[in-house]
Structures are given as C-alpha cells and as structure tokens.
Amino acid sequence: MRQSALLLPTLKEDPADADVISHRLMLRAGLIRQLASGLYTWLPLGLRVLRKVERIIREEMDRSGGQEVSMPVVQPAELWMETGRWQKMGDEMLRMQDRHDRDFCLGPTHEEVITDLFRREVHSYKQLPVNFYQIQTKFRDERRPRFGVMRAREFTMKDAYSFHLDQASFDVTYDEMYRCYERILTRMELKFRAVQADTGNIGGDISHEFHVLANSGEDTIAYSDTGTYAANLEKAAAQRPDRASPGTQTMSRVDTPNSKTIEAVASLLGLPVEQNLKTLIVEADPEDTDNPSGLVAIILRGDHELNEIKAAKLPGVRSPLAFAQEEAITRAMGASVGSLGPVNCAIPMFVDPSAAAVADFVCGANEDGVHLQGVNWQRDVVLDEQQIVDVRNVVEGDMAPGGQGKIQFLRGIEVGHIFQLGDSYSASMQATVLDHDGNSVTPTMGCYGMGVTRLVAAVIEQNHDDNGITWPTPLAPFQLHIIALNGHKSDAVKEASEALYAQAVAAGVETLLDDRAERPGVKFAEADLVGIPHRVVIGDRGLKNGAVEYRLRSDAEATEIPLQDVLSKIG
RNA sequence: CGGGGCGUAGCGCAGUCUGGUAGCGCACUUGGCUGGGGGCCAAGUGGUCGCAGGUUCAAAUCCUGCCGUCCCGACCA
C-alpha cells in the first residue's frame, strides 16, 4: 500500500474526548473515528488490525472444532419472548418495528437465535456435541459507553454456543475452549490471566473470564502469589478463618454520641478498626413473607467492604441489592445508622466469616449514641453456621482459599468469558434431541464470548510507548514500513524505495510505502505513531554506500544494513 | 439512571463573567525557502458560535427549554 493513497488521518494533538491511552492512540493513529456515542467507524488501518484479530480467533476456533455460522443482527421479538428476555433485557436492548409493526431488536447476543437454529436442524444425539460460533456485530445500548471501542454500543464479538447430551460432554468442550482462548491470547502476545468469575444470573458453577492485564482495566482481579488461584473481585473469596475464640472481656456499654463512623469509634476507644464490626442494612426479598421487617442485616469487619454481588445472592435478600432507607432502619432497629449492631438484632442477620472470627469486638448497641465493647459471639450473640457467609470483597494480603498463598490485585480488561448455560435456553425454547433409546432429551449448553473490537484496544493498552503504538507482529496492520526520504527530490531514493517495495510485495510481505512528499520529521513521527514493526528508512545519505537504515519499532536504535538484506530481516 | 464538565472552522482552544468587528495554533490550498524527528515566510479557503424560543436597538455572550458529547458511580465482550 502506498501511503500517498491511504486514508490515514493522524492527529498531532490528543483529542479532547479521549482519556485512556488506547482510545487516544486509536484516534491519533487514524484507526477509528467516532460517529456517535459508542459508535465507531473503522478506518483502513484499524480494520486491517481488526481482521488480523478475527483471523487468529477464527483459526483457533476452527482448530478447536468450532463451526462458523453467521446469524442476523436483527432478530424477531418472538424468540426473545420465548425465553422471557424480551422483558428482562430492559433498555440495554435496542428495539424497533418493521413496516408491518412487528417487533424486532438489534441482537445484544445470540442465544435465542442459535437455539432456534439448533431445534430446527439438529435432532439426534448422534449430531452432538456441536459448537457453533460466529464473529458478529452486537448492539448493546450501554448506560455509559466509554473508553472508545473498549465499551462501545456497537461492537464485534466472537460468540460460540455448544450443545451437549450430558455434563461430561460439556466439560470436555469447556476445557477445549479454555485452552483455545489461551492459545488465541498467546498468539496475540498478550499478558493475560484466566480467572474464576461470577456466573451472573445464569447459574452453574464454572465460569472463567480472560483478562488482559492493564492498569486502565475496568476489573479488579485477585490472584494468589503462588499463582494457583485467580478470580474476579466479584467472585474472589478469602480462606475462611476459624470462628472466634471465646474472648476475655465482659460486654460493656460506652457512650459514643458523636461517633457515627467506624473510624471515629475506633479512635475514640483506641482500638484498631479490625476490632470494630459494622452493620449494614439491606432490603429483604419482597417475596420473603417470613420477614415482616423487610430488612436484612449484614455484619462485616470494620475494615472490609461489602461485595454487593455476593450479598444479593443471600437467601431472603433482594436482588439486585438495595440498601435500606434510613426511616425503615430506624423503625426496625430502634436506632439509626452509626449505632447499629448484632446484639439483640431484631431482623435476620448474616455475618461475614472474618467478622465471625473477631473476639472482644466493638459494635453499635442499637441505641443512638451508644456502642458496646468486649462483645463476643455465642455468649452475647448466638450465631448458627448458616448465618456465616462470605459477603465481602477480598483485600490484598488475604489468605487465598485452600491456603494457596496470599491474595494480590491486578487490573484487567475482560476480553473473554466462558460459561455454562445449562438447559435454560434449550428448555424454554423446547430444543430437544432423541437419545440412543429414543427418548427426547434437552441438551445442556455452553457459551463462549470474546470481545474482538475490545481486543484491539487491549492490545494497544499493552503495546505502546511515548511515541505511539508498538504492534505485536501478528496483529500489525503492515509488517514493513518503507520510508522514502525526499523521494520527490531524489531519483536515487525514489528508485530504491520503489524497487524494494515491489520486491517486498512480490515476496508477500505486507508493506506500507511512505512515498509522500512530507518532511522527514513528519514521516518519522507518524511512523512511530502508527507502529509498524519493521521500518526501513531510505535516504540519499545511506544510499551512497548502498545501505539503508533498519529498525524495529520496539528498538531504540537503528542499524545500517545493505539494501539487499532488508527482506531477510522480516519473516 | 444519579452527579459533574464541555459544545465557537476538520482537530486543539481563546472570546461568554462585563451584550456591539468571530479570533489563535495546527490541518487544508497556492507560491517560495528548507530537507534525517510533526520546519520557516507569504497569500488564501473554511464558521447557521449545538438546536429552538425569549429579553434587547443589538446575543457566541443574558434567560428558558431541548439535544449532543465526555468524565465519576451501580451492569457487561
């Protein structure tokens, strides 16, 4: 490709609307342009990268036994009504009507469509297992699109769906997909981690997210320093500590009229924050008729934070989680926030294991302006085992489950998520096959997503320097960048660069020839920005000795090499 | 959806408080100089000042409403 004929609009200045580095560089290097919030046009250079990502994914999916299909972006409402998701998806789904006033949506995902295909076309256990995938445009009307293509509304996703006769078959495919994802990300030369993930509202036990490590990542991942445990913060649990020892102090009241926060009480009493327990009140599941208060108490150690996803899963707690209103709390507890505690607690209560491990603790007295100290479980508050449940976010330094070392944090960009769907879609859509004995059985399903456009941004997050992008070779839009210095003035430069270009193209090397009549400084700056791995500079200075300058984008220094040696450097 | 910011030329911004001529840098066009890290000089092109309404002799500027967009918090590839 000749740069003089390529739409490659680079920006010298940072665009005002871009904050994260990958977004800035994608705009500056002329990979994308924004059309509207969360909607992006891919320019020629960006699209070349996107296609490379797709190709790697496609090759590895095929290698793993996936069968590629392509399903429509526009989907009829009827399918979504079958699974109840026409309602459940809410505003995230963009809906529309056709000329006959029939309801459609832009597909945010394709479980319904693939299950419909399956039930129409697959009828025998002999055809199982199967794993269909596509690389497709998805539309999700995000609350808050951000970070460029990292969280866009329209984006490209590789989504795969597998169907199985039994759990054992699913497990095999799940494991295969896990390894497939590892291969994909490894080929892209990314630093990544697979972590245990929350399974969301779909259920099932196993679920893994694949995170590309980057400080700008939206997710926190917790991993053990021994490397054997890794989980999304939403899911991560600490090793369960032993229950508290009986304690030595007697329980006593202490006036704390102006101390409403844990920190204030701790400093007033001269005790560490960990010795204080905090009591959070959340709304109860409205369908739980055994709980007239409509509230549930959750007890945490003072220095810990509630994990709202874990809390919303507790029996009798409203999901999604909602904190209780002040007024309701005062009515049920006889005291307001700041003086609450587990002693004589009038509503159902859950206690985090780390809170249950504290002896001689401090807590609110359920009486405004009063706390209790020297409190002990069992003696002062009876707890049964079902009430002790993990509901907090792990913190760095926690012991990992099973004693697998200490937990540390990293930031990650979620680029893949694999999980078990069970039979929720196949059952609600009556997708069945006949088994060996002629019985109709409902297959169990797996789902494997990977954010294709997001991967491009993630790659840049990991591969850039002060001057621009430093593409890993497998994803670079071109392999070789020939920079002809003053080619419009020097016939020698023009001839040499054209000859090398023709030779490289003939050898099948993806080559970009900077044949523009720009000054050298402009060419160098833009070449760094665009980040093509191999760079050859052809100028009169070197040509006198039959030499050109060769440099890897990732190297600091260039070397002089004979013109005829260039192609041997690449590949 | 709640909180905050911003909307003036393709991009980055000033001008708005205190109403009266729409401006700067980059980019773009033409000419010249220059020619190894976004160069210099000169002359140009390009703007319904987000939209609608209002106040006023007069609105980019004041008022009202709407729209767009970005950032921070609850969801997800």
Side-chain angles (χ1 to χ4, degrees):
Chain A
M1 184 83 217
R2 286 166 195 280
Q3 209 164 331
S4 59
L6 177 67
L7 180 66
L8 178 48
T10 60
L11 302 175
K12 204 188 285 191
E13 292 171 286
D14 276 332
D17 290 343
D19 218 35
V20 296
I21 188 70
S22 59
H23 188 197
R24 282 210 299 266
L25 286 173
M26 289 183 82
L27 290 166
R28 288 194 54 206
L31 306 183
I32 56 168
R33 284 295 182 263
Q34 185 184 57
L35 178 65
S37 181
L39 303 177
Y40 290 87
T41 296
W42 287 76
L43 303 181
L45 208 68
L47 190 62
R48 289 183 73 100
V49 177
L50 187 62
R51 293 284 180 251
K52 298 217 164 174
V53 172
E54 289 178 3
R55 192 164 83 196
I56 289 172
I57 292 174
R58 187 172 280 120
E59 285 173 7
E60 295 303 332
M61 285 300 295
D62 290 344
R63 195 189 306 259
S64 289
Q67 299 182 48
E68 188 171 7
V69 296
S70 181
M71 295 179 266
V73 175
V74 176
Q75 305 177 11
E78 286 74 17
L79 285 182
W80 291 80
M81 289 172 176
E82 285 189 53
T83 59
R85 290 212 290 180
W86 184 254
Q87 262 74 33
K88 221 182 281 175
M89 291 296 288
D91 290 338
E92 195 172 311
M93 192 151 81
L94 188 63
R95 298 151 206 260
M96 69 197 104
Q97 295 184 323
D98 69 5
R99 63 168 70 198
H100 305 296
D101 294 332
R102 287 195 296 226
D103 289 313
F104 289 85
C105 65
L106 287 184
T109 177
H110 282 74
E111 282 86 1
E112 278 79 0
V113 179
I114 196 71
T115 306
D116 182 63
L117 177 75
F118 180 90
R119 69 181 170 185
R120 290 169 188 273
E121 310 301 338
V122 180
H123 304 290
S124 164
Y125 75 95
K126 293 176 189 168
Q127 294 170 281
L128 298 189
V130 279
N131 189 4
F132 299 112
Y133 79 94
Q134 65 174 347
I135 294 174
Q136 246 291 11
T137 299
K138 299 277 186 278
F139 193 95
R140 295 183 188 174
D141 203 353
E142 291 278 349
R143 298 169 177 78
R144 178 146 105 82
R146 55 184 147 169
F147 306 151
V149 299
M150 200 101 88
R151 176 168 302 282
R153 290 193 293 175
E154 185 177 305
F155 59 100
T156 305
M157 173 167 150
K158 187 282 298 173
D159 47 325
Y161 308 91
S162 67
F163 294 82
H164 310 270
L165 213 52
D166 54 35
Q167 185 68 28
S169 165
F170 165 77
D171 289 344
V172 170
T173 297
Y174 186 89
D175 190 51
E176 178 60 42
M177 292 308 297
Y178 186 104
R179 281 180 283 126
C180 177
Y181 276 34
E182 287 184 321
R183 290 198 306 271
I184 290 169
L185 298 175
T186 301
R187 280 184 64 181
M188 294 181 186
E189 301 180 9
L190 286 164
K191 293 188 264 301
F192 69 96
R193 259 200 153 84
V195 305
Q196 295 176 30
D198 182 69
T199 47
N201 45 19
I202 290 161
D205 288 338
I206 29 173
S207 169
H208 287 88
E209 288 170 354
F210 289 79
H211 287 263
V212 169
L213 303 181
N215 287 331
S216 62
E218 294 185 87
D219 294 276
T220 298
I221 61 186
Y223 69 101
S224 68
D225 52 10
T226 58
T228 50
Y229 178 81
N232 190 313
L233 183 62
E234 292 173 356
K235 163 97 176 177
Q239 162 115 302
R240 206 182 167 98
D242 293 334
R243 293 280 291 273
S245 58
T248 55
Q249 303 175 5
T250 53
M251 183 168 79
S252 60
R253 287 165 53 93
V254 47
D255 287 331
T256 52
N258 299 314
S259 304
K260 297 218 163 192
T261 65
I262 293 285
E263 289 73 21
V265 173
S267 71
L268 180 76
L269 300 177
L271 289 169
V273 181
E274 304 91 87
Q275 203 69 28
N276 288 258
L277 300 191
K278 66 177 159 194
T279 303
L280 304 173
I281 311 294
V282 300
E283 291 184 11
D285 182 350
E287 289 172 19
D288 185 0
T289 49
D290 294 342
N291 182 1
S293 70
L295 301 177
V296 175
I298 297 175
I299 316 292
L300 295 175
R301 214 171 74 184
D303 56 326
H304 286 153
E305 279 184 4
L306 184 70
N307 179 310
E308 299 192 16
I309 292 180
K310 292 176 183 175
K313 287 183 177 171
L314 295 175
V317 170
R318 177 192 278 267
S319 178
L321 193 77
F323 286 96
Q325 303 292 319
E326 279 276 348
E327 187 195 331
I329 293 172
T330 314
R331 197 177 334 119
M333 303 293 288
S336 52
V337 174
S339 302
L340 305 177
V343 180
N344 298 322
C345 176
I347 61 176
M349 176 171 78
F350 291 100
V351 181
D352 186 78
S354 57
V358 185
D360 298 326
F361 61 81
V362 177
C363 63
N366 293 325
E367 184 181 333
D368 282 343
V370 182
H371 276 72
L372 300 173
Q373 64 176 329
V375 187
N376 281 286
W377 297 110
Q378 303 313 91
R379 185 191 70 192
D380 305 319
V381 186
V382 177
L383 272 190
D384 68 54
E385 207 51 44
Q386 285 84 38
Q387 287 178 279
I388 304 176
V389 200
D390 171 39
V391 281
R392 69 175 174 99
N393 285 332
V394 296
V395 295
E396 287 191 285
D398 274 340
M399 191 62 75
Q404 307 173 73
K406 288 218 165 80
I407 283 178
Q408 297 182 326
F409 286 170
L410 281 172
R411 300 291 291 177
I413 300 164
E414 184 190 349
V415 296
H417 195 172
I418 61 177
F419 51 95
Q420 182 170 7
L421 289 176
D423 65 358
S424 52
Y425 293 96
S426 45
S428 61
M429 295 182 68
Q430 283 113 48
T432 59
V433 295
L434 293 182
D435 70 9
H436 184 269
D437 302 318
N439 298 316
S440 189
V441 295
T442 304
T444 188
M445 295 171 60
C447 175
Y448 319 92
M450 188 165 250
V452 180
T453 38
R454 178 180 285 182
L455 266 166
V456 176
V459 167
I460 295 171
E461 289 288 333
Q462 272 191 9
N463 296 280
H464 64 85
D465 61 20
D466 290 346
N467 296 324
I469 303 171
T470 55
W471 290 113
T473 307
L475 299 175
F478 293 93
Q479 298 306 305
L480 173 61
H481 202 170
I482 301 172
I483 297 176
L485 291 188
N486 300 314
H488 58 299
K489 289 279 177 71
S490 161
D491 289 340
V493 167
K494 185 173 167 63
E495 281 163 25
S497 57
E498 289 287 348
L500 179 60
Y501 176 64
Q503 195 189 345
V505 169
V509 178
E510 296 170 303
T511 305
L512 183 63
L513 170 64
D514 190 350
D515 56 344
R516 300 172 303 162
E518 291 288 349
R519 293 171 54 83
V522 172
K523 295 192 174 199
F524 292 139
E526 292 189 357
D528 283 345
L529 189 57
V530 162
I532 293 166
H534 300 274
R535 177 186 309 175
V536 169
V537 177
I538 300 184
D540 275 324
R541 195 198 275 175
L543 279 184
K544 283 175 192 151
N545 310 317
V548 295
E549 243 170 66
Y550 169 78
R551 198 191 113 181
L552 280 172
R553 173 65 178 83
S554 51
D555 286 349
E557 296 295 326
T559 54
E560 290 243 312
I561 63 170
L563 181 56
Q564 60 269 23
D565 288 1
V566 169
L567 289 190
S568 66
K569 290 278 188 183
I570 300 151

